[in-house]
Every structure is written in structure tokens, then in C-alpha cells.
Amino acid sequence: MNGFAAPTRRGLLLGGGALALGAGLVPMRLMAQDLVKVAGIYTVPVEQQWVSRIHIAAEAAKAAGRVDYTYTENVANTDYPRVMREYCESGVKLIVGEIFGAEAEAREVAAEYPDVAFLMGSSFPPDAALPNLAVFDNYIQDASYLTGIVAGAMTKTGNIGMVGGFPIPEVNRLMNAFMAGVKETRPDATFQISFIGSWFDPPKAKETAMAMIEGGADVLYAERFGVSDAAKEKGVLAIGNVIDTQADYPDTVVASALWHFEPTFEAALAAVQAGAFKAEDYGLYSYMAKGGCSLAPLGTFAGKVPEAALALVTEKEAAIKAGSFAVEVNDAEPSAS
């Protein structure tokens, strides 16, 4: 994500499941030229990494005159159903957000409003009995793997520090992919791994990263805000996640795995306009082959990354896009070494 309030998502129970609506398509049909009313409901500020990608995609569609988009941020999980109902009653046709901390409640609301399409970040699969709710997640392991190749080539000590929010699938898969990439260029690399138990606590993330630097790490995986601050202060390198922060850390952030939510959003919007929105897993739209993720430009580090590593990145990226190489999706909690 991340950007969610619950420390464990797969442990959440659906509490009896959503109300059965019957399989099939959402009973809605909008003309292509209609301005679709879209609402975003977020549990964190829209500046937060994960949520910012959804917000940016929706804002772009709004700027292009294709949707009427509004949003509410910093919504507590306990308040999420109420905000959902308010938007549904206002005539919104597509709601985007993340329900990791309110799975059962959110699905109950979706069942009450079959004419509204819900595109929600979730760890649960789509349910045919709830045809108006589709799920997604940030499957950007392809780009994370490529940043690992760069990190392995840039470390001098072979000691990599990794700071995450929570050890949940959407974080674990990116960390595991990154570590696999590191091993491509630094087979003997070791990893320090820690989770801060929060989606937004820069001071704690910085403190954790500082301890890793004291422990010998010279490259840090910045899954959370605050890690790059520690790297900058101590003169070591950092690898970014979801967004590109190199402009703020020009001498620190070497590479970043970027998430592009536009393919996911556009696919859902097209389905709503065609009256064909249904319960689907939109996770594949985050894959590199779909344009859902990429390796950020090296920028200030152009010419500083070994050519052999760049050649490997180019080779692997082409293979990923061609479908001849697949980065493993490993949701297990990563292990330190």
C-alpha cells in the first residue's frame, strides 16, 4: 500500500459475507459522452504514497473533462460505511478507495446500492454475488525487482536495510521482488528488515532506518516516508517505492518503483460507461506489461549506475513486457539475513 489503518488485512473476516445480489453485470448503462460522477474515499491524506496514485489518476480524468470527481480523505475505518452511503445517495456512479480495514462493512454498503460501481483496494477476491464491487491492489513487483538490480549494483557493503509499514501481502510482495533483484547483481547481499507498525509515521521510519545504517546498511529500501531522510542525513543511498521522490533527495534516491493507477482507473471507467462493470480483480492492470508500473528515470544518478547493471535492467524489462520473464509474486513475510 499501502496507506491503510489495519495491521492485518487477510485476518479480517467478512462476517457472513455480502448480501447476495445474484451474478451478472451491474444494472447501469451510461452513455460514453456522459460525465461520470466519481468519488474517492481514503483513510489517509491524498499526499500519502499509495493513495496519491489513485487520486492523481482520477484528477487527470477530471482535468480532461471526462469525470466529475470529488473525494474525502482521512476517513476512519469505522466511519467508512457512512461516507460510502452519503456518496451513493448523492448520485455518484463510481466509488474508488481502499477497504482493507472495513471489508465486511463496505461490502454490505455495496450490496445496498447495486447501481453504484465500487473499485476498492482489497486483499479479498471479487465475489460474483456482489457484482458491483471490483477489487485491486498495487502489483508493482516488476518495477520493484528492477530497482533491486540497481540497488545490488550500488551497495558497497552488501548490507541492505528495508523499512516497511506492516508485513502484509501488498508490502511483502514488493520487498521480496526487490530482494530477488538485489541478488541478481549482489548474490552475497544481506538484508536488515523491519516494520514500523504504521502507514504514516516518518519519525519512526527515520529512527528505524538510522539503526540500520548504524548496523552497516549503505542502501535503504524506503517503503515508508522518513527512510530517505535518514539516508540523506547519513550520506547513504535509498530506493523509492510507488512515487518518485528524487527531486527532494537528489543525492540520495537512486531509483524508484512507480505505480501508475491510470490503467486501472481507465478500465473501470470504461466498464461503467458501457454498463459492463462487474466483480473482477483489477490487479493485473498494475503489472508492467499493462503500463501499471515502471522504473523511474535515474535522473541525477544517470552515469553513476554500473553499465552492466543497466544492461541487465534493460534485458529484464524487455522480457517482462514481452511475457517471457515473470517476477514472482511472493506475499510471504520477507526474512532478514
Side-chain angles (χ1 to χ4, degrees):
M1 193 235 176
N2 333 106
F4 322 107
T8 174
R9 301 177 187 168
R10 295 193 185 278
L12 296 171
L13 299 178
L14 291 180
L19 298 177
L21 294 181
L25 303 180
V26 180
M28 64 178 75
R29 183 163 297 279
L30 301 176
M31 298 302 291
Q33 66 268 26
D34 289 345
L35 200 64
V36 180
K37 292 188 70 174
V38 179
I41 308 176
Y42 311 118
T43 62
V44 293
V46 292
E47 291 82 10
Q48 193 267 359
Q49 296 120 295
W50 198 90
V51 159
S52 72
R53 310 314 291 173
I54 305 171
H55 181 64
I56 288 171
E59 284 284 3
K62 178 180 179 180
R66 300 171 54 240
V67 301
D68 176 7
Y69 169 65
T70 187
Y71 67 94
T72 303
E73 57 188 333
N74 294 314
V75 178
N77 286 321
T78 53
D79 207 27
Y80 211 92
R82 178 190 64 80
V83 178
M84 290 175 69
R85 288 188 175 94
E86 288 182 354
Y87 275 125
C88 290
E89 293 292 338
S90 73
V92 165
K93 287 300 179 183
L94 173 63
I95 293 179
V96 296
E98 15 91 22
I99 58 173
F100 298 100
E103 288 278 357
E105 298 85 353
R107 289 170 186 257
E108 288 175 2
V109 174
E112 296 170 13
Y113 295 92
D115 290 337
V116 179
F118 296 85
L119 178 65
M120 313 304 277
S122 172
S123 287
F124 285 93
D127 182 358
L130 194 59
N132 61 324
L133 189 146
V135 300
F136 71 88
D137 210 339
N138 64 326
Y139 285 86
I140 64 170
Q141 63 281 344
D142 298 331
S144 296
Y145 170 80
L146 297 182
T147 64
I149 292 176
V150 173
M154 296 298 287
T155 179
K156 292 181 173 63
T157 65
N159 188 325
I160 310 288
M162 305 181 68
V163 181
F166 295 98
I168 57 172
E170 27 285 302
V171 174
N172 296 344
R173 73 173 66 107
L174 306 188
M175 284 189 162
N176 284 319
F178 170 81
M179 294 166 72
V182 169
K183 291 290 188 177
E184 294 282 7
T185 46
R186 189 66 187 254
D188 64 342
T190 59
F191 302 92
Q192 301 180 61
I193 300 173
S194 184
F195 298 92
I196 63 172
S198 172
W199 293 123
F200 192 77
D201 191 343
K204 188 172 183 179
K206 181 180 179 180
E207 179 184 359
T208 303
M210 284 288 196
M212 291 180 174
I213 296 170
E214 289 297 319
D218 67 344
V219 174
L220 299 174
Y221 177 78
E223 199 270 328
R224 293 291 100 195
F225 280 149
V227 176
S228 294
D229 294 304
K232 178 181 179 180
E233 188 172 316
K234 292 296 185 178
V236 302
L237 303 177
I239 301 294
N241 179 58
V242 176
I243 61 175
D244 187 0
T245 58
Q246 193 184 77
D248 298 318
Y249 307 94
D251 300 317
T252 303
V253 176
V254 183
S256 297
L258 307 184
W259 184 28
H260 308 294
F261 193 71
E262 287 78 4
T264 305
F265 186 84
E266 291 299 327
L269 181 60
V272 169
Q273 290 175 315
F277 191 89
K278 58 183 179 180
E280 292 183 280
D281 187 346
Y282 279 71
L284 287 177
Y285 290 100
S286 290
Y287 280 51
M288 185 170 285
K290 294 286 188 180
C293 66
S294 68
L295 179 65
L298 292 177
T300 54
F301 280 85
K304 299 178 183 179
V305 178
E307 287 297 326
L310 294 181
L312 183 58
V313 166
T314 300
E315 174 191 331
K316 294 294 186 179
E317 182 176 12
I320 289 169
K321 291 180 177 179
S324 58
F325 174 73
V327 176
E328 181 185 10
V329 178
N330 182 357
D331 289 346
E333 182 174 344
S335 299
S337 53

